[in-house]
Amino acid sequence: MLPARLVRKTHSVARCALRCRPRLHANSARRAISTTSASFSAATSSNSSSAPSPLPWFVDPGEEEHWTSPYDRRVAIPQTPTRPLAPLPAAIPPDHPIARLHAELKASPHLEPGTLLVREPIPTATGPPLPPSAPKGRRRRGGTNAGQGVNEDLGGIWQWVVIAQVKEGTENRGAIESVIRTVRKALLTADPPLPLPPNSKRRVNGGWAMIDAGDFAIHILSKEAREKYFPDRREW
């Protein structure tokens, strides 16, 4: 006969085995499922790398050959041809400040391509002499002598005019101010530097800004201002 203590231990071991048996079955099932899913994912990845990607649900398989991307259609739109850039006049030497300024403005992303122009000012015809008039008022002002006026053409204020047109729609977004900074930097760092007027915060007026550089002037303006004040042809 076995002792009572050994019998109690045998019964406890048997009860523990009965309790642990479901856990062992669950763990073995989990291991089998994880192994199967890992092998399935590896096979799927290998098949997906070799097979072509499926079409989206909204694309008809019959129209696959004729389907094009929206980006391809956008690139196929014909672009408006740009005007070729006018060369510098032959009278301007390569070491002139205008030549350096022209090279800086040509690379500016704010200017409309092909609109940078360097030319001589359009001469204005001399008007007739002032008519004779007697002084008026208590201070005797406004009187002119007979034939008083400009009898000879004294020339213009500047020898050259630089016209730079910014891209359409960017004149109120800081494009003119950015071009002004480029112009001032190019002229102030020249050798020798050009004396420029002080940098004013209110230099832009109606889409038009001007910088007086002594012998030449730089006009930075919008498309509307150029068509109004600097047309290709003058009717007057």
Side-chain angles (χ1 to χ4, degrees):
M1 295 248 352
L2 295 175
R5 183 179 297 177
L6 184 59
V7 172
R8 286 196 299 271
K9 286 186 178 181
T10 304
H11 288 303
S12 64
V13 170
R15 286 194 299 271
C16 181
L18 291 175
R19 285 196 305 268
C20 295
R21 184 178 299 174
R23 296 182 182 176
L24 293 176
H25 285 294
N27 291 337
S28 61
R30 277 198 208 95
R31 289 182 191 142
I33 291 172
S34 62
T35 306
T36 305
S37 62
S39 60
F40 177 75
S41 62
T44 305
S45 62
S46 62
N47 293 336
S48 62
S49 60
S50 59
S53 59
L55 290 175
W57 61 269
F58 53 85
V59 177
D60 189 1
E63 299 179 356
E64 180 181 1
E65 299 179 357
H66 306 285
W67 184 81
T68 56
S69 173
Y71 297 98
D72 298 338
R73 292 197 296 269
R74 184 178 62 179
V75 172
I77 296 176
Q79 302 293 331
T80 305
T82 58
R83 226 189 315 181
L85 184 64
L88 278 174
I92 297 179
D95 56 346
H96 197 277
I98 293 182
R100 179 179 181 181
L101 178 62
H102 187 271
E104 293 288 339
L105 292 178
K106 186 169 56 174
S108 175
H110 301 288
L111 297 184
E112 194 74 36
T115 58
L116 182 60
L117 180 63
V118 179
R119 61 169 173 80
E120 295 180 353
I122 299 177
T124 304
T126 304
L130 298 176
S133 63
K136 300 176 183 179
R138 193 186 339 182
R139 297 187 180 182
R140 312 293 294 174
R141 292 182 177 179
T144 58
N145 297 324
Q148 182 180 0
V150 179
N151 296 325
E152 59 181 11
D153 188 7
L154 302 178
I157 303 177
W158 302 287
Q159 297 179 0
W160 300 99
V161 174
V162 182
I163 301 174
Q165 176 186 327
V166 298
K167 293 182 178 179
E168 188 175 3
T170 62
E171 58 271 7
N172 296 326
R173 301 180 182 178
I176 296 180
E177 288 79 1
S178 178
V179 177
I180 289 175
R181 288 192 293 267
T182 302
V183 171
R184 293 185 62 86
K185 182 179 179 181
L187 297 181
L188 291 175
T189 56
D191 189 18
L194 271 71
L196 297 180
N199 193 7
S200 175
K201 295 182 179 180
R202 296 183 178 180
R203 52 178 171 258
V204 181
N205 185 11
W208 180 13
M210 190 200 74
I211 298 178
D212 186 0
D215 293 338
F216 61 95
I218 304 99
H219 300 273
I220 304 103
L221 32 75
S222 61
K223 180 180 179 181
E224 182 180 358
R226 178 167 186 171
E227 293 175 352
K228 182 178 180 181
Y229 300 110
F230 295 91
D232 296 334
R233 295 182 57 188
R234 282 189 178 180
E235 303 297 335
W236 41 274

